[in-house]
Amino acid sequence: MCGIIGVIGTSHSASLILEGLKRLEYRGYDSAGIATLDKNTINRQRSAGKISNLEKHLETNPLTGLIGIGHTRWATHGPANEENAHPHSDGQVAVVHNGIIENFQKLKDELSDCNFESTTDSEVIVHLISYYLDRGDNLIDACRKMKARLKGSFALAVISLKENDTVIGICQGSPLAVGYGNGEMYLGSDSLALLPMTSKVSYLSDGDFCILKSGSVQFFNSENKNVKREIKELSIDASSVSKGSFDHFMMKEIHEQPQVIRDTLNALIDSSSRTSDLSQLNIDINDLSKITIVGCGSAYYAGLVSKYWFEEYAKIPVEVDIGSEFRYRNHPLPDKGLAIFISQSGETIDTLYPLRLCKEKGQYILSIVNSPESTIARESDSVIKTLAGPEIGVASTKAFTTQMVTLAVLALFIARKRNHLSEKKEQELVSALLELPEKISEILNAQDSINKVASQIKDTQNVLYLGRGHNYPIALEGALKLKEISYIHAEAYASGEMKHGPIALIDSHLPIVFIAPSDTLFSKSLTNIEQVSARGGRVIALTDEAGSEKLNGLHEYLIKLPKAHEFVHPILYSLPVQLLAYYTAVLKGTDIDQPKNLAKSVTVE
Ligand code: G6P
């Protein structure tokens, strides 16, 4: 949700900022811009659209200067045009902003003498800083006073002619990291953006303010106390953020699933006893009264799948909710409740706010995140890391399946601790999880049938996904993936609900994807398949050998998957729905890694 970068201390500042912005493009790609400070002038270049537009623009209009800031935008206030592109500047101050200024209109009214050039909420920050500078404050005090006036969430980078050897970084509700170079210093919305320049970073805490000079940084906390922030060494390999031989990050990330699932399992399972090992969790499991799970998008669907596992094996009531809904419900949360927050980025504001609410209400906070340094991780009582590695494609794939794997192990761990699961049964279920990487590789080696189905649905307007039990959330995920990257409208229902409404849509045009492995509910799914077929509907069946034998030709297309333990079906059946969306999008020629209007990290409400 907007990415920001700051660089100080190198004559290559503009090109480093451009490279950093490319790595932040997953946060938004509506417009981009860079401002540098050069010999007492602020120079800016901005372009609507993707960073490649800005890059072309910079080839003929290069920017020089030892100090600079840059931005890639996901529009919230005002259209995605050049006027609204960051950095905003009045010639004396330039600012890039990630987040939302909730009281911008009130501030804008107060500053009505200023010349506003954009319709963004962010530009008010520039004029506020200049207001204080013009009344004699130095840049740091002017920024502090400005910060005190803002309501909302923001990560900011500020430069000014008044102190042309400084970049100011401010973080409140949106993340910011400082990178340490050789005499150079960097600021970025995440550490991935800084990776090509440095592996040494510090993360700002919420409310922090930092002052970057060439070769040094000072941090101040929300009470304006000079504080130290730990310098961490990044262990991520810079090549993990490249596409390698794949055409898209999404396909690369789909193919990484066998390995990242293996890595995630290895960290959570005792391989000698084949049992779950989450002893690092400091929760009184026997006393647990309820589990509340919150996430958004795919993370929410991973939570929905786990509800079936927690209830089946750990015999514990579970409530799963979407972050944006959870926060505005007034729900009684019990004593000794466990609240689980699932997030790839660990920064999704709709997930973070419910976390804070649950904390206030005395819940034990456990987060399952892919970014261990994220705000959600930092604010949790315990964290389980999914070891998916950096996920760049906007449509989540490997993060989603590693979230499910983690939740599966957690469900088994809690089940055993509560004496609802024998060691033998746990070993059987853990073995099923351990077999996943191999079975996923089998699917990846036989993608022809999926590609063929994609060619049949690419021109349709609508697709319906149906699934039962713990596979129902995979139908939801399948529909989400198709919508996100191919722009085909798709909906998902629990198969049994079809007769209560969507059945009216069935005709010879509507493709209906059934997630129907041969499990204990297969006979029920088969009934639904028959109902569709009887009405001349187009059945695309995702099932295994045993299931396919029982289909009796009711299907138009069949995507056959390896036989697996019922427990892991939701994880395994995620693969064909990811691939179906991917191939359909390839045939439609859409921008798969950066679908229109979406962003990977959504840090606004
Ligand atoms: C965005 C992404 C989705 C993702 C959701 C939650 O909407 O496009 O792919 O599932 O955010 O993100 P999180 O980082 O919290 O998992």
Side-chain angles (χ1 to χ4, degrees):
M1 203 85 330
C2 300
I4 67 178
I5 284 272
V7 170
I8 184 164
T10 164
S11 55
H12 300 113
S13 64
S15 59
L16 291 182
I17 291 169
L18 188 70
E19 284 314 303
L21 289 179
K22 286 182 189 165
R23 286 166 178 265
L24 288 175
E25 202 167 17
Y26 72 89
R27 300 177 75 90
Y29 28 84
D30 289 333
S31 66
I34 296 178
T36 55
L37 252 174
D38 191 16
K39 300 192 194 84
N40 275 332
T41 333
I42 290 177
N43 296 310
R44 270 192 301 171
Q45 296 297 347
R46 300 175 296 164
S47 297
K50 295 199 164 189
I51 290 167
S52 51
N53 294 352
L54 177 69
E55 189 170 20
K56 275 188 215 125
H57 195 63
L58 285 168
E59 280 165 17
T60 42
N61 305 278
L63 285 169
T64 50
L66 297 178
I67 294 182
I69 55 178
H71 188 269
T72 179
R73 179 171 187 240
W74 186 82
T76 57
H77 296 70
N81 54 24
E82 192 178 320
E83 290 74 51
N84 288 331
H86 299 220
H88 294 290
S89 178
D90 61 357
Q92 171 172 239
V93 170
V95 169
V96 286
H97 167 221
N98 167 32
I100 285 190
I101 308 303
E102 288 166 6
N103 58 337
F104 84 98
Q105 193 55 55
K106 186 168 171 283
L107 295 169
K108 206 166 170 178
D109 294 345
E110 275 180 36
L111 295 160
S112 56
D113 288 346
C114 299
N115 178 26
F116 280 86
E117 292 174 348
S118 75
T119 51
T120 63
D121 56 333
S122 314
E123 193 185 347
V124 77
I125 300 165
V126 172
H127 297 297
L128 257 184
I129 297 172
S130 270
Y131 173 89
Y132 293 116
L133 288 175
D134 292 344
R135 278 153 190 76
D137 282 318
N138 63 29
L139 180 63
I140 293 159
D141 287 342
C143 285
R144 282 205 174 107
K145 287 182 184 171
M146 172 278 297
K147 181 185 173 219
R149 301 292 316 280
L150 301 186
K151 289 204 169 77
S153 65
F154 43 90
L156 304 172
V158 181
I159 55 173
S160 169
L161 296 183
K162 280 281 166 94
E163 268 158 66
N164 61 9
D165 61 348
T166 305
V167 176
I168 305 270
I170 300 174
C171 154
Q172 184 165 301
S174 296
L176 207 51
V178 165
Y180 301 79
N182 207 354
E184 302 158 11
M185 297 295 296
Y186 316 103
L187 206 55
S189 292
D190 70 24
S191 47
L192 282 186
L194 306 180
L195 202 56
M197 306 176 240
T198 180
S199 58
K200 285 191 172 53
V201 298
S202 296
Y203 296 94
L204 274 75
S205 294
D206 205 25
D208 275 5
F209 187 102
C210 68
I211 304 168
L212 267 68
K213 305 261 184 197
S214 220
S216 74
V217 59
Q218 279 186 291
F219 296 97
F220 296 87
N221 66 11
S222 52
E223 286 148 16
N224 281 334
K225 281 203 186 112
N226 196 187
V227 285
K228 293 220 174 319
R229 295 289 171 229
E230 190 188 345
I231 302 179
K232 302 196 172 183
E233 188 74 39
L234 295 175
S235 53
I236 309 165
D237 169 8
S239 69
S240 65
V241 219
S242 84
K243 277 189 273 207
S245 58
F246 291 91
D247 291 337
H248 301 99
F249 277 108
M250 184 177 175
M251 197 49 151
K252 175 180 177 238
E253 288 158 5
I254 287 174
H255 276 81
E256 283 171 353
Q257 288 176 106
Q259 188 57 45
V260 296
I261 286 176
R262 197 174 286 122
D263 293 344
T264 302
L265 284 171
N266 285 344
L268 305 175
I269 279 169
D270 177 339
S271 53
S272 55
S273 64
R274 295 207 149 207
T275 56
S276 54
D277 182 8
L278 283 165
S279 39
Q280 82 266 24
L281 291 185
N282 188 16
I283 319 173
D284 194 350
I285 284 168
N286 284 317
D287 268 1
L288 275 186
S289 51
K290 179 183 176 183
I291 299 179
T292 304
I293 301 179
V294 178
C296 299
S298 301
Y300 166 66
Y301 296 147
L304 272 185
V305 170
S306 74
K307 175 182 166 72
Y308 292 86
W309 293 330
F310 283 117
E311 291 180 348
E312 166 88 19
Y313 299 109
K315 317 275 181 230
I316 190 161
V318 176
E319 186 188 10
V320 192
D321 208 350
I322 300 160
S324 55
E325 282 297 312
F326 184 90
R327 190 183 175 202
Y328 298 105
R329 280 198 295 132
N330 198 359
H331 26 190
L333 288 169
D335 284 348
K336 309 213 175 198
L338 167 65
I340 303 177
F341 297 86
I342 309 168
S343 176
Q344 187 284 128
S345 62
E347 300 295 349
T348 304
I349 211 105
D350 284 336
T351 308
L352 176 63
Y353 285 161
L355 181 155
R356 290 179 179 160
L357 192 75
C358 285
K359 209 170 198 179
E360 272 167 31
K361 293 192 175 187
Q363 305 298 289
Y364 184 89
I365 309 294
L366 168 64
S367 61
I368 295 178
V369 292
N370 200 38
S371 310
E373 306 298 344
S374 60
T375 313
I376 287 177
R378 287 200 305 263
E379 296 195 15
S380 300
D381 296 317
S382 287
V383 179
I384 310 181
K385 285 187 284 184
T386 48
L387 299 179
E391 190 180 66
I392 311 291
V394 165
S396 185
T397 53
K398 60 177 181 167
F400 175 63
T401 47
T402 52
Q403 284 161 356
M404 283 192 288
V405 160
T406 304
L407 286 157
V409 178
L410 180 64
L412 299 186
F413 180 73
I414 294 181
R416 185 159 47 85
K417 291 280 169 201
R418 289 166 69 88
N419 291 324
H420 291 302
L421 191 67
S422 67
E423 191 171 327
K424 188 160 171 268
K425 183 72 182 170
E426 187 183 9
Q427 286 167 339
E428 173 194 322
L429 299 172
V430 165
S431 300
L433 286 167
L434 291 170
E435 284 169 12
L436 272 171
E438 202 183 315
K439 294 193 189 287
I440 290 175
S441 298
E442 270 183 58
I443 298 172
L444 293 174
N445 289 333
Q447 298 175 33
D448 287 357
S449 60
I450 303 176
N451 204 346
K452 202 163 126 204
V453 175
S455 68
Q456 296 302 312
I457 66 170
K458 74 174 177 25
D459 296 320
T460 58
Q461 303 286 314
N462 303 289
V463 178
L464 186 60
Y465 285 73
L466 299 174
R468 273 184 178 268
H470 61 188
N471 296 313
Y472 163 47
I474 304 308
L476 291 163
E477 172 67 4
L480 176 71
K481 287 280 91 79
L482 192 72
K483 271 184 282 216
E484 280 183 310
I485 61 169
S486 78
Y487 314 145
I488 292 175
H489 171 247
E491 267 198 276
Y493 275 84
S495 305
E497 273 293 289
M498 182 187 68
K499 56 190 174 292
H500 299 297
I503 199 163
L505 299 171
I506 295 174
D507 60 17
S508 57
H509 304 294
L510 180 74
I512 304 182
V513 179
F514 275 92
I515 321 287
S518 62
D519 57 12
T520 39
L521 292 174
F522 183 75
S523 61
K524 305 287 173 197
S525 301
L526 196 57
T527 305
N528 301 128
I529 292 173
E530 272 161 358
Q531 288 160 355
V532 169
S533 177
R535 287 161 180 81
R538 302 177 64 191
V539 173
I540 299 167
L542 272 56
T543 189
D544 46 27
E545 180 69 39
S548 68
E549 281 166 12
K550 292 184 189 143
L551 281 176
N552 282 332
L554 294 170
H555 59 281
E556 185 173 342
Y557 294 100
L558 173 69
I559 297 175
K560 212 192 283 179
L561 282 100
K563 182 175 160 46
H565 194 295
E566 185 161 343
F567 175 52
V568 300
H569 280 159
I571 306 168
L572 197 67
Y573 279 69
S574 299
L575 267 290
V577 300
Q578 293 169 354
L579 289 163
L580 186 57
Y582 176 82
Y583 284 122
T584 309
V586 169
L587 292 170
K588 293 201 78 174
T590 56
D591 190 340
I592 290 177
D593 286 332
Q594 294 176 343
K596 67 174 185 235
N597 302 333
L598 288 172
K600 186 140 192 80
S601 174
V602 184
T603 54
V604 295
E605 272 201 83

